[in-house]
Amino acid sequence: MMDDQNVDVIIIGTGAGGGTLAHKLAGKGRSVLLLERGGYLPRERDNWDSSAVFVKGSYRAPEFWLDKNGDEFPPEVNYYVGGNTKFYGAALFRLRPEDFGELRHHDGISPAWPLGYADFEPYYTEAERLYLVHGEHGEDPTAGPASGAYPFPPVQHEPRIQQLSDDLEKQGLRPFHLPIGVNLIQDGQGRATHGSVCIRCDRVDGFPCLVRAKSDAQIICVDPALEHDNVRLLTNAYVERLDTDPAGRTVTAVVTRLGDGSLVRLSADIVVVSCGAVNSAALLLRSANDQHPRGLANSSDVVGRHYMRHNNLALMAVSKEPNPTRFQKTLALHDWYLGSDDWDFPLGGMQMLGKSDAEQIRANAPRLAGRLSPEMPFEVLAHHAVDFWLCGEDLPLPDNRVTLESDGRIRLTLDEKNNVAGVERLRHKLQGMLSELGMHPHRLLDHSIYLHKGMPIGATAHQAGTVRFGTDPQSSALDTNCKAHDLDNLYVVDTSFFPSIGAVNPSLTAIANALRVGDHIAERLG
């Protein structure tokens, strides 16, 4: 067993950031100890059961956070090996080149990053290859240049979604194949062939994958990393705090509560925090000491601030023709990402959700009272449903923040109306096209089961921004290598480092950044 006193790197968290970093360092021969507060997700039939996953929330963490008023809410977080990637839809977009610069929005400014698209581009290409992304560069009109092709061709549309794509093109728009990470081999008709791990089912979005075909951090990175003798994983290991030397410049101990209740002090040359934007900030805040009275890496007072989570709308249209699609998450639209003819500010993007089933619609029914036709049973409505995800940019406000109560509980203060005008206009764009897209014009229904039962504050899957990076220690917590300005051996590699969040899923950027920081750490260790 690895001697914990001689570990090169401790990584706290096994999701898109931490899991990917472990994989990168494992291949470079670095001794790595991964700490995961949860265990492995059980493989069971409930993995693919809508009632268990969405209605009962069987796999969500059994905890409650507080909102700005002190009221409890259940956050959409999952503590398993692989982190939230076990449940993500594996939509793996690059940020647009413009997202790295300053962008003016209706409600304010989205700030520039200290690095540009060109700095991330080679790592985006590496990330797409590692996570088996299917797509085609050049289709998305807002995407930046790519130095390499996707490793796999796009996941082909099933007939009803192909018709939707054709109808969007007839409106003068430029839909494209959504880039998605799945272990799929297709035949000429887009069907999964013999030898394909993915079976093209309707359980990709929001469900853990029973057949290990979705490109989550456990399957792609953690499990392969553990095949190396220099990598070890401790599960059910909750990090209570980080201790420093008397000068406050070096993390000397990772104080960890193990599953049996015992408390251990682990040490490494480099400590990497990757717990998710909320929990990473919370760990740094509760590690306050005499040298760091406001929390580790927080001389700037930005840790916990600038929390972002996207302005999302999950919507269900009703197709006039049946929609027997199973693998629906294959199409996206970015024509209004940066603005439109009738508005000067960014609206955001549209993409497909996983296919609704009767259980999901039944769970939504009380909130849709009066909008569902009595002559259309849930099963029939599900067979005609076409599901959309609209994503707009949230702005990094300093008072949108993570703080700790005196008892250590997490409080998330959030202005839920921050910069929502763009995504609302995006909804009106979709609403106005329904007839031309073969949908019933007056049935664009809120699909709130995907948004934590209509509670925006609970929909924390796209959390970012609480430990931002930058060149100025007065206004950022991390330098451009994601090392804390205030400490010599502390890094943060989840989406906490984002100065802004753009309007696409953040996972690929977290993955690419972990690969980038992995190169830096490996070079630093020599």
Side-chain angles (χ1 to χ4, degrees):
M1 182 175 290
M2 187 188 305
D3 181 354
D4 294 341
Q5 300 305 311
N6 294 305
V7 175
D8 289 325
V9 183
I10 288 176
I11 302 172
I12 307 165
T14 59
T20 303
L21 178 62
H23 185 274
K24 184 70 175 248
L25 295 176
K28 293 181 179 293
R30 297 301 164 191
S31 57
V32 176
L33 176 61
L34 275 164
L35 303 178
E36 171 55 55
R37 70 184 293 176
Y40 278 92
L41 181 83
R43 295 184 74 196
E44 56 194 8
R45 296 182 73 165
D46 274 0
N47 288 177
W48 280 358
D49 181 82
S50 284
S51 179
V53 173
F54 287 107
V55 182
K56 299 176 185 176
S58 300
Y59 300 106
R60 285 202 306 268
E63 66 180 57
F64 289 87
W65 298 346
L66 304 176
D67 66 13
K68 61 184 177 183
N69 299 316
D71 296 326
E72 291 186 333
F73 71 92
E76 186 184 341
V77 293
N78 308 279
Y79 300 143
Y80 298 102
V81 178
N84 283 335
T85 67
K86 295 300 295 182
F87 292 84
Y88 76 160
L92 294 171
F93 288 94
R94 301 178 178 208
L95 285 172
R96 320 291 89 181
E98 291 85 354
D99 288 323
F100 291 91
E102 183 177 285
L103 277 176
R104 182 172 297 278
H105 286 257
H106 181 266
D107 286 359
I109 298 295
S110 175
W113 290 41
L115 301 176
Y117 178 83
D119 297 299
F120 282 85
E121 197 288 323
Y123 295 103
Y124 275 138
T125 297
E126 183 180 350
E128 288 161 353
R129 291 171 179 165
L130 177 61
Y131 275 73
L132 312 179
V133 182
H134 290 60
E136 185 171 339
H137 289 301
E139 285 190 330
D140 179 351
T142 65
S147 58
Y150 283 113
F152 297 96
V155 179
Q156 294 184 37
H157 302 316
E158 292 176 45
R160 182 63 187 89
I161 305 307
Q162 183 61 57
Q163 183 61 53
L164 173 61
S165 180
D166 294 343
D167 289 340
L168 287 167
E169 288 187 0
K170 291 175 184 175
Q171 301 301 306
L173 302 171
R174 295 164 292 178
F176 59 94
H177 290 88
L178 184 150
I180 189 165
V182 286
N183 194 350
L184 170 67
I185 302 173
Q186 304 172 93
D187 66 13
Q189 284 73 49
R191 297 171 300 196
T193 66
H194 177 71
S196 174
V197 179
C198 177
I199 59 173
R200 283 199 69 127
C201 71
D202 59 355
R203 306 282 94 170
V204 64
D205 199 0
F207 296 89
C209 184
L210 262 173
V211 298
R212 299 167 62 90
K214 182 164 63 177
S215 295
D216 67 51
Q218 177 215 325
I219 301 301
I220 295 294
C221 288
V222 177
D223 289 353
L226 291 173
E227 295 176 5
H228 295 255
D229 293 339
N230 54 308
V231 179
R232 187 159 70 95
L233 167 67
L234 283 180
T235 57
N236 301 302
Y238 173 70
V239 177
E240 293 194 349
R241 69 179 189 275
L242 305 176
D243 288 346
T244 70
D245 64 352
R249 290 297 306 179
T250 303
V251 175
T252 54
V254 178
V255 182
T256 305
R257 182 78 60 182
L258 301 180
D260 62 5
S262 62
L263 199 65
V264 297
R265 295 171 62 84
L266 307 170
S267 62
D269 294 337
I270 290 175
V271 174
V272 181
V273 175
S274 189
C275 312
V278 172
N279 278 303
S280 286
L283 172 57
L284 297 177
L285 292 172
R286 66 175 178 262
S287 299
N289 58 28
D290 289 344
Q291 290 73 35
H292 301 276
R294 292 192 290 198
L296 291 194
N298 199 26
S299 63
S300 60
D301 192 32
V302 302
V303 171
R305 295 186 183 273
H306 310 109
Y307 171 83
M308 298 168 284
R309 83 281 183 254
H310 278 144
N311 290 316
N312 293 319
L313 290 173
L315 303 170
M316 182 178 69
V318 181
S319 175
K320 294 175 182 176
E321 299 297 325
N323 179 21
T325 304
R326 295 186 64 79
F327 197 111
Q328 184 173 255
K329 200 173 179 70
T330 59
L331 182 144
L333 186 75
H334 279 164
D335 286 67
W336 302 298
Y337 190 94
L338 295 169
S340 63
D341 291 343
D342 56 355
W343 213 50
D344 293 333
F345 305 106
L347 280 70
M350 297 183 192
Q351 57 184 272
M352 308 309 295
L353 275 173
K355 184 72 176 70
S356 287
D357 62 24
E359 285 301 313
Q360 294 169 23
I361 294 173
R362 182 176 288 108
N364 270 306
R367 291 179 292 279
L368 300 177
R371 301 190 67 192
L372 296 178
S373 301
E375 71 276 7
M376 188 174 283
F378 295 136
E379 289 78 7
V380 176
L381 182 57
H383 197 50
H384 286 257
V386 181
D387 308 272
F388 295 89
W389 178 261
L390 276 55
C391 187
E393 183 162 359
D394 189 19
L395 297 178
L397 304 181
D399 291 334
N400 281 359
R401 65 185 301 199
V402 177
T403 54
L404 297 180
E405 301 296 286
S406 58
D407 61 0
R409 298 184 73 188
I410 290 173
R411 181 187 289 256
L412 183 58
T413 300
L414 178 64
D415 174 5
E416 297 177 14
K417 298 297 183 182
N418 172 21
N419 203 42
V420 298
V423 77
E424 288 292 344
R425 282 179 174 262
L426 202 58
R427 177 183 185 142
H428 293 314
K429 294 279 191 186
L430 178 59
Q431 181 85 54
M433 294 190 296
L434 290 178
S435 293
E436 287 73 23
L437 302 179
M439 316 284 181
H440 288 282
H442 304 299
R443 291 187 188 169
L444 188 59
L445 309 174
D446 291 327
H447 197 350
S448 55
I449 198 162
Y450 270 92
L451 286 180
H452 214 73
K453 299 185 178 179
M455 295 170 52
I457 194 170
T460 56
H462 288 193
Q463 57 184 267
T466 57
V467 194
R468 54 167 42 181
F469 80 157
T471 56
D472 182 1
Q474 300 301 312
S475 59
S476 60
L478 309 172
D479 68 16
T480 55
N481 290 316
C482 289
K483 184 189 77 66
H485 291 299
D486 300 342
L487 293 107
D488 296 327
N489 69 334
L490 177 64
Y491 291 78
V492 180
V493 298
D494 53 27
T495 53
S496 302
F497 85 96
F498 283 35
S500 66
I501 196 171
V504 291
N505 312 53
S507 296
L508 190 72
T509 301
I511 293 163
N513 184 64
L515 296 171
R516 183 182 71 90
V517 174
D519 276 346
H520 161 78
I521 290 176
E523 182 179 356
R524 171 177 168 168
L525 290 171

